[in-house]
Amino acid sequence: MGAAPLILVSNDDGIHSEGIAALAEALRSLGEVVVAAPDRERSAVSHSLTLHRPLRVEELGPGRYAIDGTPTDCVNLAVNGILRARRPTLVVSGINKGANLGDDVTYSGTVSAAMEGTLLGIPSIAISAIGRDRFRFDVAADFATRLAAWVMERGLPPDTLLNVNVPVPVDGKPLDGYVLTRMGRRRYGDAIIEKVDPRGKKYYWIGGDEVEVDAEEGTDFRAIRDGRISVTPIHLDLTNYKSFDALQALVLPWP
Ligand code: MN
């Protein structure tokens, strides 16, 4: 009999977040869990990799590493460095505090940690809990565990990660299951807030309010609106194959 499978857990909310603790705890029922996560919140850092300064690792406890880098750094460093002698069977990133739906996926550090796992050839899952003031991580942790067990047994299609979003149970009612979805679109207002600092210099704050959501049938937004867990398979090949025909017509003068 082989050793218990090794599961690598990371996130972008930082190693001290409540969501990663709930996730790591739940996944321990499936194997050995190693946590390698940013030492502070690094939300919305996308897939950035630190190349111009050294990275420091602090072992906070057995199998628990705080890294002063991005979520991508954490997964890369864990797989290629800390765990070099023993390859993880699965990477799970989360549980993020807040949604990672539609276009927001492109900014997400949570999803990017799973992207890094995928690039390293390890089946990977990103999971986020949606909430307003209060977040409940128990439902997401439970679903993550069941999904992780399935993925460890069956694997995932090549170059594909699963991006999971768990809605808030309304009035304590159980969620209406889960559904495979595609990414929807969210349009933000163009509001840039311009203010003046105490020294008289202008500063800006990005973060327009949401103005419109494409919650068409089949999208991740629709699933959440319907009170269902959304599971979106995300492919790392960003090529728009459907555009080839239109772009064949593109004729540039060539000297
Ligand atoms: Mn986050």
Side-chain angles (χ1 to χ4, degrees), residues 171-223:
D171 303 328
K173 273 185 283 181
L175 296 174
D176 187 17
Y178 63 92
V179 61
L180 274 184
T181 57
R182 63 181 169 85
M183 285 166 66
R185 305 290 309 267
R186 188 206 299 268
R187 281 168 256 282
Y188 287 105
D190 51 6
I192 291 281
I193 297 158
E194 184 184 295
K195 299 242 180 193
V196 178
D197 76 15
R199 296 193 172 88
K201 290 189 79 166
K202 281 181 189 166
Y203 68 91
Y204 300 88
W205 202 278
I206 295 178
D209 289 334
E210 176 182 304
V211 288
E212 197 190 333
V213 168
D214 158 23
E216 268 178 47
E217 191 63 41
T219 62
D220 47 5
F221 287 107
R222 172 62 75 89

Side-chain angles (χ1 to χ4, degrees), residues 2-232:
L6 181 62
I7 303 168
L8 174 62
V9 169
S10 195
N11 75 348
D12 76 359
D13 291 342
I15 197 158
H16 301 292
S17 75
E18 198 187 331
I20 201 170
L23 180 63
E25 180 57 34
L27 290 173
R28 279 195 187 99
S29 63
L30 302 179
E32 186 184 337
V33 172
V34 166
V35 175
D39 62 356
R40 70 201 77 176
E41 176 165 359
R42 302 300 300 266
S43 291
V45 299
S46 191
H47 197 205
S48 79
L49 187 65
T50 302
L51 295 175
H52 301 290
R53 63 170 178 84
L55 290 167
R56 307 285 177 183
V57 180
E58 190 184 350
E59 192 170 358
L60 301 180
R64 199 158 167 265
Y65 303 92
I67 299 169
D68 65 343
T70 66
T72 299
D73 293 331
C74 293
V75 172
N76 191 296
L77 187 54
V79 173
N80 292 330
I82 300 165
L83 302 172
R84 198 171 40 224
R86 204 177 148 207
R87 194 173 169 77
T89 308
L90 181 75
V91 173
V92 189
S93 175
I95 302 166
N96 189 61
K97 204 171 181 177
N100 276 306
L101 296 163
D103 301 324
D104 287 354
V105 161
T106 62
Y107 303 108
S108 172
T110 306
V111 175
S112 294
M115 267 184 201
E116 190 64 8
T118 306
L119 287 174
L120 294 167
I122 303 169
S124 300
I125 299 168
I127 182 152
S128 305
I130 298 167
R132 287 199 184 87
D133 317 314
R134 310 188 98 208
F135 290 84
R136 281 199 40 193
F137 295 110
D138 53 341
V139 178
D142 178 62
F143 185 75
T145 306
R146 286 186 288 140
L147 185 61
W150 189 90
V151 170
M152 288 201 299
E153 199 181 312
R154 310 281 290 269
L156 286 174
D159 305 324
T160 303
L161 67 93
L162 297 180
N163 181 38
V164 180
N165 281 272
V166 181
V168 198
V170 180
D171 303 328
K173 273 185 283 181
L175 296 174
D176 187 17
Y178 63 92
V179 61
L180 274 184
T181 57
R182 63 181 169 85
M183 285 166 66
R185 305 290 309 267
R186 188 206 299 268
R187 281 168 256 282
Y188 287 105
D190 51 6
I192 291 281
I193 297 158
E194 184 184 295
K195 299 242 180 193
V196 178
D197 76 15
R199 296 193 172 88
K201 290 189 79 166
K202 281 181 189 166
Y203 68 91
Y204 300 88
W205 202 278
I206 295 178
D209 289 334
E210 176 182 304
V211 288
E212 197 190 333
V213 168
D214 158 23
E216 268 178 47
E217 191 63 41
T219 62
D220 47 5
F221 287 107
R222 172 62 75 89
I224 297 307
R225 187 179 288 182
D226 293 346
R228 305 169 89 180
I229 295 173
S230 164
V231 180
T232 309

